[in-house]
Amino acid sequence: MIIAIGYFGRLPRRKSLLAAILTGPDFEAAKQGYAYLPPFWLMIMILPAFIIGDSFVAIQAGLFSKAKGLGFSKREFGLNNLLLIVATNLCYLATILIALLMIEVTTTEARGFIQSGWLTSYQDLGVRLFLILMLLSLIQQICGWLNRVLLLLVPIVVLVYTDFTAALWNPLNLVLWPRMRLIGNEIVTLTIVGCLVLAIGYGYVYGKYELK
């Protein structure tokens, strides 16, 4: 992925590399039926779903009986899973941003890079990207309780649905460059609230029921 991003970073562009990667069809293209699925955007967004996958099911099967013997409750085990989701997404995002910034610095004069405001762009887009990655991860894990096939199917369906529809309320519009400038900041607040609600729900349900 980093090799592909490195090649992409050497192409002519007028915006930051992260903004160029988070491209896709705008609202008008989706409404007129000219939407498409941007490969770099899809790759960035879907990889955490493959990284996490059903790993928590495997951890629970292998370690929960031992953890329970040490006095850990099911709810504490679920909270530990939440911490692992946050840590995984943070490490993934940090790896992506560091790689992109290194490419930016090597392809652009450092002075012009800072004056252009790209660092601010990276900070803003990085926060939005983390929120959406967390939202997708939580949805993935909750849907995975119903069927393990949904662990990978649901994130893919959500991403494809986002690309081919023009729903202004969809939080995933925050990580599509042509759309994020056309939606209000209230969507960011909605996404934060959604992540908190899903996280609380995940911890509560995980601790209340013996999910298989």
Side-chain angles (χ1 to χ4, degrees):
M1 182 184 66
I2 292 177
I3 293 174
I5 290 174
Y7 172 78
F8 185 78
R10 298 187 178 277
L11 299 178
R13 50 192 165 81
R14 295 183 178 180
K15 52 190 174 185
S16 69
L17 182 54
L18 181 58
I21 289 176
L22 296 181
T23 189
D26 57 18
F27 287 122
E28 195 61 32
K31 290 178 181 178
Q32 296 181 5
Y34 296 112
Y36 61 93
L37 200 60
F40 281 100
W41 177 81
L42 181 63
M43 179 174 61
I44 291 290
M45 300 303 301
I46 201 62
L47 271 181
F50 284 89
I51 293 172
I52 298 175
D54 63 348
S55 57
F56 296 135
V57 177
I59 292 174
Q60 177 181 314
L63 297 179
F64 181 66
S65 59
K66 297 179 182 178
K68 191 173 182 179
L70 294 173
F72 289 94
S73 67
K74 185 83 171 182
R75 182 161 297 168
E76 289 173 329
F77 210 77
L79 293 176
N80 182 69
N81 289 351
L82 284 174
L83 292 176
L84 288 174
I85 291 175
V86 173
T88 301
N89 282 308
L90 279 176
C91 291
Y92 172 77
L93 182 62
T95 302
I96 296 298
L97 293 181
I98 290 172
L100 294 179
L101 286 169
M102 289 179 65
I103 294 171
E104 294 276 25
V105 172
T106 57
T107 56
T108 308
E109 292 184 4
R111 183 178 178 182
F113 173 75
I114 296 174
Q115 289 181 347
S116 65
W118 286 7
L119 290 177
T120 303
S121 173
Y122 267 83
Q123 182 180 5
D124 183 46
L125 291 177
V127 171
R128 295 184 179 207
L129 185 55
F130 174 72
L131 289 174
I132 298 304
L133 290 177
M134 281 298 302
L135 188 66
L136 284 174
S137 296
L138 290 169
I139 292 174
Q140 175 198 28
Q141 293 303 310
I142 292 173
C143 291
W145 289 342
L146 303 176
N147 193 307
R148 292 178 67 178
V149 176
L150 299 178
L151 284 167
L152 295 179
L153 182 60
V154 168
I156 294 174
V157 170
V158 171
L159 291 170
V160 173
Y161 171 81
T162 299
D163 253 357
F164 287 86
T165 58
L168 293 173
W169 51 265
N170 189 343
L172 269 70
N173 290 324
L174 291 174
V175 288
L176 276 171
W177 180 257
R179 300 185 183 187
M180 66 178 66
R181 296 170 295 174
L182 301 177
I183 57 179
N185 291 328
E186 62 272 8
I187 300 298
V188 178
T189 304
L190 177 64
T191 305
I192 295 173
V193 172
C195 286
L196 290 175
V197 170
L198 288 176
I200 294 171
Y202 178 91
Y204 176 79
V205 175
Y206 199 100
K208 190 174 180 63
Y209 300 102
E210 290 288 334
L211 299 170
K212 302 299 182 181

